[in-house]
Amino acid sequence: MHKLQANVDVGEQELSELRLILERQIGVLLDTTTEELTQALSEELGSQPVASAGLLLERLRSSDVECEHLAEHLLDGETRFFRHPLALQSLASQVLPELEKRKPEHPRSFRILSAGCSTGEEPYSIGMSVCEVVNCSGGGWNVNIVASDIRRRALEIAERGLYPQSALEHIPAHLVQPYFAKVGEHLLVKPRLRNLVRFSPMNLAKPSFLGQFDCIFCMDVLPRFSTAQRTTLVQRLHLYLEPGGYLFLGQKEKLLASEMKFQPLTRDGYTVYQKAAALAARSGR
Ligand SMILES: C[S@@+](CC[C@H](N)C(=O)[O-])C[C@H]1O[C@@H](n2cnc3c(N)ncnc32)[C@H](O)[C@@H]1O
């Protein structure tokens, strides 16, 4: 038995059930230790006490919101600027030129989703990579990056756009001055970059509709999902993409053969996945 708060004990069986509930509600297969899990529960219960572990499970079973609150304490938000350089290189050298050819309208609209964006370093890195290739502020392109995560506290940090000086280690030197202002010991994202990104809470284990995207970045999220939930998420990301749109995964991630509704395109050591419909359209099928 583990103690959660005064008079509330939780047993191994209840903790196993809790892991199953969380897997169903937030997709992620938790590899947290029992101590970490009970610690997270205790922190959550600090604000919302409960009379017994059974009632707590009932509360979690019936409420996505309760599970999402708990996720704040349990999910790993590891990230940094330019964490996936090969993906950003593929965006700049392969995908953007292709989209430029395919979209004749003026201004060209370009929508990107950063799914599981943590504290914002990823969408801002995408924004800088795009602006280095196309003119984001001159009217030729209308660039919109929607950045989402289940953890609202991470999104609050992302919205602020204020990062410690140590972030400089990861940002290419020539991009610091154009996109960041020094504020004391911190770097603040400048409006020209900040204004490209809209942050929005989103649980990737549940259907939601933020419109369709030309590119989706879902980096270091799929490996954390259970097999069943991962398959559903890949199908959902496929749905959220425009025909001919591109799915970017972390550098070491691959889609499974059973998830292949996409065409894998490999160049310079990185594979980007293209929604197949545009290929059919282009070849006249
Ligand atoms: C390891 S971080 C990766 C962050 C960033 N994509 C990167 O690669 O640098 C995984 C992120 O996915 C988010 N996440 C996990 N499950 C999620 C879900 N069901 N819905 C939305 N975000 C989720 C976590 O909160 C975390 O911020």
Side-chain angles (χ1 to χ4, degrees):
M1 277 291 174
H2 308 272
K3 196 150 242 13
L4 293 184
Q5 57 178 56
N7 303 324
V8 179
D9 293 320
V10 63
E12 293 299 336
Q13 201 182 329
E14 284 153 329
L15 289 176
S16 305
E17 197 182 332
L18 175 68
R19 285 179 199 273
L20 286 177
I21 296 172
L22 288 173
E23 187 262 325
R24 208 166 42 235
Q25 306 279 46
I26 61 174
V28 174
L29 214 48
L30 290 173
D31 60 359
T32 42
T33 61
T34 301
E35 286 70 34
E36 286 166 332
L37 194 53
T38 47
Q39 166 84 21
L41 282 170
S42 302
E43 281 170 29
E44 184 56 24
L45 290 174
S47 55
Q48 301 220 19
V50 74
S52 72
L55 282 175
L56 170 67
L57 289 181
E58 197 44 56
R59 216 161 83 179
L60 289 165
R61 226 180 268 122
S62 59
S63 163
D64 291 359
V65 176
E66 290 278 350
C67 289
E68 287 167 19
H69 280 166
L70 202 51
E72 295 276 353
H73 307 284
L74 289 169
L75 294 180
D76 167 17
E78 182 187 350
T79 192
R80 60 181 176 275
F81 285 99
F82 294 89
R83 183 175 180 213
H84 307 276
L86 294 184
L88 296 174
Q89 209 173 298
S90 159
L91 172 70
S93 65
Q94 185 177 4
V95 169
L96 280 171
E98 206 278 317
L99 284 172
E100 189 163 21
K101 272 193 237 142
R102 207 195 312 154
K103 287 177 175 262
E105 73 269 16
H106 186 89
R108 288 187 180 87
S109 117
F110 181 36
R111 295 195 80 226
I112 305 174
L113 174 65
S114 166
C117 71
S118 194
T119 40
E121 289 87 336
E122 176 178 295
Y124 290 131
S125 302
I126 296 168
M128 285 183 267
S129 303
V130 173
C131 290
E132 287 305 289
V133 177
V134 306
N135 186 348
C136 291
S137 50
W141 289 70
N142 189 359
V143 177
N144 284 292
I145 303 171
V146 177
S148 71
D149 204 281
I150 197 170
R151 291 179 303 123
R152 284 165 196 261
R153 280 183 221 154
L155 291 178
E156 280 164 24
I157 294 171
E159 297 230 32
R160 227 172 287 138
L162 191 65
Y163 296 96
Q165 290 270 4
S166 54
L168 281 174
E169 271 174 51
H170 307 290
I171 305 170
H174 70 285
L175 299 179
V176 175
Q177 195 278 330
Y179 297 106
F180 296 89
K182 291 216 165 129
V183 176
E185 295 296 297
H186 289 77
L187 298 174
L188 181 65
V189 175
K190 284 188 178 172
R192 64 178 289 207
L193 177 58
R194 177 66 192 81
N195 292 340
L196 299 180
V197 189
R198 177 166 65 83
F199 293 96
S200 175
M202 180 183 190
N203 179 358
L204 290 167
K206 305 280 164 186
S208 58
F209 194 71
L210 297 172
Q212 279 194 301
F213 297 91
D214 299 294
C215 292
I216 296 180
F217 286 75
C218 187
M219 329 285 284
D220 200 6
V221 176
L222 284 181
R224 293 155 195 276
F225 268 46
S226 69
T227 311
Q229 292 270 23
R230 173 192 158 106
T231 305
T232 314
L233 175 55
V234 172
Q235 284 167 357
R236 208 169 273 145
L237 295 177
H238 188 268
L239 202 68
Y240 297 159
L241 274 175
E242 294 277 5
Y246 297 88
L247 174 64
F248 293 79
L249 303 178
Q251 279 166 208
K252 294 192 182 138
E253 299 172 47
K254 293 257 173 295
L255 287 186
L256 309 173
S258 57
E259 296 165 341
M260 267 317 165
K261 277 170 103 183
F262 293 89
Q263 169 88 7
L265 304 172
T266 303
R267 197 200 274 182
D268 298 332
Y270 180 79
T271 302
V272 63
Y273 295 89
Q274 185 173 26
K275 183 164 169 170
L279 293 178
R282 262 187 302 178
S283 62
R285 275 179 283 145

